[in-house]
Amino acid sequence: MGDLKEYRAEIDRIDRELVRLFEERMEVSEQIGAYKIENGVKVFDKTRERQKLDEVKGLAHGDFNQHGVEELFSQLMSMSRKKQYAMLEKRGAGGRLPFIGVDRLDTDHIRVVFQGVEGAYSQAAMTAFFGEDVNSFHVARFRDAMEAIAEGSADYAVLPIENSTAGIVADNFDLLVDFENYIVAEQIIPVEHVLMGIKDADLSSVRIVYSHPQALAQCEGLFQAHPDWKAEPFGNTALAARKVAQDGRKDEAAIGSAFAARRFGLQVLKTHISDEEANATRFMIVTNQRIFRKDARKISICFELPHSSGTLYNILSHFIFNNINMTHIESRPIPQRSWEYRFFIDFEGNLAEPSVKNALRGIREEAINMKILGNY
């Protein structure tokens, strides 16, 4: 029996040979890639790869080695594909993405729709992005807003997509799939709850506080300091503010934004009432045009995957091989398809960049129903 030093020397010898064979294999892969480009053959041949995996797996001995060989060659073939995708892009055979780059968004003579009521955080996000004088209207449901821009009654929609403490707005992720609408910008609004009441009210007169259940929960400390106050759940923060303004009672207050207080002529009785100060909501600006600003730096996509081992790993490796930083990933169940999921991913980049085109081409070839949701 040899010693550890001898074993390691043998491993080093084998590794050098593996590296030599790997580079030899990649050279042949390049030649295959050149043939495919010249003859219009698709890079990804799923049937051929499955046959190859079964073949090499059968050469190994024992369950552990067979599984290991299958995994090893899956990665080798994945690397070969990425090399060939890069060759396609380098030779100008990558094709064009169906999006048009623009210097700026057209915000002249436009109409914008937001979900909610006057005074909602969505309206605050809209005015922060488009300005106070923007021509706008509001609708009751997120779907109504998407339908408005799809049919052309609005040019842009403003919809919440994620809260830093409560997480994603799941319905809007699904709507991005249902409609041919695209994200062209985002607006982040700090969620800074205030306590508001009518002009003659003060803290000593308050007995009932209205707000959305989530906002009430985010201000638990306020109610602990005032145990005689009753927290009354309401549809949303803006509707709560409107009720207090309409009722005109000194014993009623609402929790919501300072923006809502101004909209409904209420006075702010107390600021900084949230238990968690680092709270913000990300809103997406959506349109029905396939456009992106030339200086855009974030891309959102979604796709589906077969329910099999390693598929998500292989897709995510396209970001690694193209030096792209992925910033967010979510999964959502696919309606009417039990235990199948759709993935939503945000990553840094611009649709005009070769590395992004290369990654997207690979993902489109290997995933199911990939959709670019926007570059912003």
Side-chain angles (χ1 to χ4, degrees):
M1 187 175 187
D3 61 19
L4 182 60
K5 187 178 292 186
E6 290 175 349
Y7 292 142
R8 286 177 171 171
E10 185 67 7
I11 287 289
D12 290 343
R13 181 193 65 78
I14 294 171
D15 287 347
R16 286 192 293 272
E17 183 66 10
L18 286 174
V19 171
R20 185 189 68 79
L21 291 172
F22 169 76
E23 291 186 334
E24 185 178 330
R25 192 183 197 284
M26 293 304 290
E27 286 179 7
V28 177
S29 176
E30 284 192 45
Q31 295 169 11
I32 293 173
Y35 176 89
K36 288 179 177 178
I37 293 171
E38 291 171 6
N39 293 275
V41 179
K42 286 183 65 176
V43 168
F44 187 36
D45 186 340
K46 189 174 181 179
T47 302
R48 159 65 181 167
E49 292 202 2
R50 186 65 259 172
Q51 290 172 345
K52 183 66 179 176
L53 288 175
D54 291 339
E55 177 186 324
V56 295
K57 184 178 178 181
L59 297 174
H61 303 86
D63 291 342
F64 184 88
N65 285 353
Q66 287 179 348
H67 183 76
V69 165
E70 184 177 21
E71 176 65 19
L72 173 62
F73 276 82
S74 291
Q75 295 310 310
L76 285 172
M77 288 187 283
S78 176
M79 291 177 216
S80 294
R81 289 197 303 273
K82 292 173 178 64
K83 183 75 172 177
Q84 293 172 12
Y85 291 139
M87 291 172 64
L88 277 169
E89 195 60 46
K90 189 174 181 179
R91 298 193 185 192
R96 294 183 179 180
L97 295 171
F99 284 78
I100 299 173
V102 297
D103 294 318
R104 59 179 290 272
L105 298 179
D106 182 8
T107 56
D108 299 327
H109 311 296
I110 59 165
R111 198 170 190 220
V112 182
V113 59
F114 65 93
Q115 181 274 334
V117 298
E118 289 287 326
Y121 276 105
S122 293
Q123 186 181 25
M126 180 193 68
T127 57
F129 189 85
F130 291 102
E132 292 281 350
D133 298 328
V134 64
N135 179 11
S136 68
F137 66 101
H138 54 90
V139 292
R141 304 182 306 158
F142 297 135
R143 178 171 288 274
D144 296 336
M146 282 294 207
E147 288 176 348
I149 53 174
E151 69 187 16
S153 58
D155 300 289
Y156 298 97
V158 180
L159 296 171
I161 195 70
E162 182 183 16
N163 179 264
S164 58
T165 58
I168 67 167
V169 182
D171 289 348
N172 286 338
F173 273 83
D174 295 336
L175 288 173
L176 286 169
V177 178
D178 293 344
F179 288 85
E180 288 299 318
N181 298 329
Y182 304 92
I183 308 170
V184 290
E186 67 178 2
Q187 179 68 48
I188 297 175
I189 294 291
V191 179
E192 298 174 346
H193 293 318
V194 302
L195 184 73
M196 64 190 88
I198 64 173
K199 295 298 183 183
D200 295 333
D202 56 37
L203 290 177
S204 64
S205 66
V206 174
R207 292 294 178 269
I208 304 174
V209 180
Y210 299 98
S211 196
H212 187 276
Q214 190 177 88
L216 294 173
Q218 291 169 346
C219 302
E220 186 177 343
L222 178 70
F223 292 99
Q224 290 176 349
H226 298 274
D228 56 326
W229 291 2
K230 180 183 179 183
E232 191 70 37
F234 216 74
N236 60 52
T237 56
L239 286 175
R242 187 174 69 180
K243 173 179 173 53
V244 170
Q246 291 175 342
D247 290 353
R249 291 171 46 177
K250 292 197 296 182
D251 64 339
E252 292 184 345
I255 290 175
S257 67
F259 179 84
R262 291 193 300 272
R263 283 280 167 175
F264 296 108
L266 298 173
Q267 68 162 323
V268 174
L269 304 177
K270 188 174 179 60
T271 60
H272 305 294
I273 62 174
S274 300
D275 299 331
E276 176 63 59
E277 292 189 9
N279 187 8
T281 298
R282 183 162 66 102
F283 291 84
M284 57 181 178
I285 314 299
V286 184
T287 187
N288 62 3
Q289 300 178 65
R290 290 186 176 184
I291 59 173
F292 67 98
R293 281 181 45 155
K294 292 178 180 178
D295 59 353
R297 293 308 309 156
K298 182 189 289 186
I299 298 171
S300 295
I301 65 172
C302 70
F303 54 81
E304 301 162 24
L305 289 177
H307 191 61
S308 57
S309 175
T311 52
L312 180 59
Y313 173 84
N314 288 331
I315 290 296
L316 297 185
S317 66
H318 286 283
F319 298 110
I320 299 171
F321 276 82
N322 287 285
N323 296 314
I324 293 172
N325 184 33
M326 188 178 71
T327 58
H328 187 90
I329 182 169
E330 291 283 347
S331 63
R332 293 281 299 142
I334 301 175
Q336 285 82 51
R337 287 160 58 182
S338 298
W339 315 119
E340 293 188 40
Y341 295 87
R342 181 178 292 117
F343 293 87
F344 294 82
I345 288 179
D346 294 343
F347 60 94
E348 295 176 353
N350 187 281
L351 289 175
E353 295 171 354
S355 60
V356 169
K357 291 181 180 179
N358 191 24
L360 290 176
R361 169 178 279 274
I363 295 170
R364 188 182 296 280
E365 288 276 347
E366 297 170 28
I368 303 170
N369 298 329
M370 191 202 84
K371 179 182 179 183
I372 298 172
L373 303 176
N375 188 189
Y376 49 100

